[in-house]
Amino acid sequence: MTVARKPVAALITATTALLLTAGCASDGTRVVRPQDPAPSTLSTLSAPVGAEPPAASAARPCPPPERWRGPRDAPTTIDGTPANTPEAEELSQAVGRQGRGAFAEVYGSLVVDFPVGRVALCVTDLARGRELAKAAAQADPKADVTRLDLYLARYSERRLTAAAKRLEPYLGRRVLGFPLRGVGPAPDASGIEVMTDAAGTDSAALKARLQQLSGGIPVRTEEGNPVAA
């Protein structure tokens, strides 16, 4: 799944990735620009990385798309082009490499510049998330992990990608009479996003059927059209 220097959330289509927004990072790291600049509620890495993780009851869920999706310009510009802040970009790249490597079993997603200059890392296990941050700092000394905030993700990106692939054979076809135009992990790692038509977004039966086909992973439907290849 690809995402970007500018905010993105990628969905698989029958012919190409269905992008909710545009752009691609060189290493495939999910980079999304927040709509809500308010500080995150859980900053677990302001203390030394090796510290004990907070109790699960103190953790907050991965920020949902409505908190950062939208038309607002990115925090900075490069030659007039909207871009993420350099410090958050550096950190997101370092963390993303670890998240899709040794820590793929817990990595859910990233939200870059949430708030400006910080990165929200969504993981299924906070202790492993701290270990991921430590590994990122060791691999890239320029990555400032004190700017990293940990959130709990419901699923790992790896698990969601595998579930989304189960729906790929139905792309470009109809399920219960509704078109399937794109599918991929939800940006907040809470389940799978499926693109369909307006009527499909209102169908509880469609959601239930898609969840069954995905192997039990929750499905969120959105109205949209696939991006041309």
Side-chain angles (χ1 to χ4, degrees), residues 10 36 38 52 117 130 154-155 167 172 174 176 198 218:
D36 180 359
E52 288 298 314
R130 288 178 179 270
R154 186 172 182 182
Y155 298 100
L167 298 181
R174 288 181 174 268
L176 302 182

Side-chain angles (χ1 to χ4, degrees), residues 159-176:
R159 183 175 178 187
L160 292 179
T161 298
K165 286 184 179 297
R166 298 190 187 103
L167 298 181
E168 284 189 49
Y170 301 92
L171 291 173
R173 298 165 54 188
R174 288 181 174 268
V175 175
L176 302 182

Side-chain angles (χ1 to χ4, degrees), residues 136-223:
Q138 291 174 340
D140 183 357
K142 294 183 294 183
D144 181 3
V145 295
T146 66
R147 292 178 174 274
L148 193 66
D149 300 309
L150 294 185
Y151 291 81
L152 279 175
R154 186 172 182 182
Y155 298 100
S156 69
E157 183 184 68
R158 181 168 65 181
R159 183 175 178 187
L160 292 179
T161 298
K165 286 184 179 297
R166 298 190 187 103
L167 298 181
E168 284 189 49
Y170 301 92
L171 291 173
R173 298 165 54 188
R174 288 181 174 268
V175 175
L176 302 182
F178 303 105
L180 263 63
R181 297 168 174 171
V183 60
D188 60 357
S190 62
I192 297 172
E193 281 190 350
V194 173
M195 305 301 286
T196 182
D197 60 12
T201 63
D202 295 328
S203 173
L206 176 61
K207 290 181 183 179
R209 177 55 176 158
L210 293 176
Q211 182 168 329
Q212 181 184 46
L213 292 172
S214 74
I217 299 296
V219 171
R220 179 168 61 210
T221 53
E222 292 190 2
E223 182 180 3

Side-chain angles (χ1 to χ4, degrees), residues 66-116:
E66 54 266 26
R67 291 187 62 186
W68 46 258
R69 268 188 193 160
R72 185 175 68 84
D73 288 340
T76 63
T77 60
I78 298 177
D79 297 328
T81 301
N84 293 111
T85 58
E87 58 271 29
E89 177 76 6
E90 180 77 36
L91 177 58
S92 71
Q93 296 293 325
V95 170
R97 284 190 287 271
Q98 297 298 323
R100 290 181 174 82
F103 296 87
E105 85 282 3
V106 298
Y107 173 78
S109 68
L110 287 174
V111 185
V112 177
D113 283 313
F114 186 83
V116 175

